[in-house]
């Protein structure tokens, strides 16, 4: 559906999604090929490839120093302040970011 939307000529700067979308490697690859940034939640057990090897998402998140994490508000919603998302603040905008709920 997202690919059809983009193929129709629409442009987006960022795609966000929950674990269902974050667990879809084809979607992540398609967004990366198009140069579209994304923030996708992944399961704690998801295998994440890095330059230092492949790690489970929860183990990789524990390796990031606490000072590198940044909490961002999701803004006000119809029922008040929405929850916040957490992720490393040093991630390049060209690389997908993963948010874990472990």
């Amino acid at each position: 559906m997202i690919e059809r939307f983009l193929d129709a000529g629409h442009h987006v700067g960022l795609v966000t999604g929950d674990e269902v979308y974050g667990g879809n490697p084809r979607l992540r690859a398609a967004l990366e090929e198009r140069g579209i940034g994304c923030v996708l939640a992944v399961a704690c057990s998801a295998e994440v490839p890095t330059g230092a090897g492949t790690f489970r998402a929860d183990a990789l998140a524990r390796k990031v120093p606490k000072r590198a994490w940044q909490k961002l508000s999701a803004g006000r919603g119809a029922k008040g302040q929405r929850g916040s998302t957490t992720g490393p603040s040093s991630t390049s905008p060209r690389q997908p970011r993963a948010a874990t709920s472990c």
Side-chain angles (χ1 to χ4, degrees), residues 21-98:
Y21 296 101
N24 183 337
R26 195 168 145 238
L27 171 61
R28 291 193 317 261
L31 293 170
E32 187 175 314
E33 283 176 17
R34 294 172 186 259
I36 297 172
C38 61
V39 179
L40 303 170
V42 295
C44 294
S45 60
E47 295 288 321
V48 180
T50 74
T54 300
F55 299 90
R56 278 179 50 118
D58 54 356
L60 189 58
R62 284 192 300 271
K63 291 180 180 288
V64 178
K66 289 187 186 227
R67 68 183 181 282
W69 290 87
Q70 178 182 17
K71 243 181 202 189
L72 302 171
S73 171
R76 280 195 61 77
K79 298 178 183 176
Q81 192 68 17
R82 288 183 265 176
S84 59
T85 59
T86 305
S89 60
S90 60
T91 305
S92 162
R94 298 271 304 147
Q95 288 188 307
R97 287 178 49 179

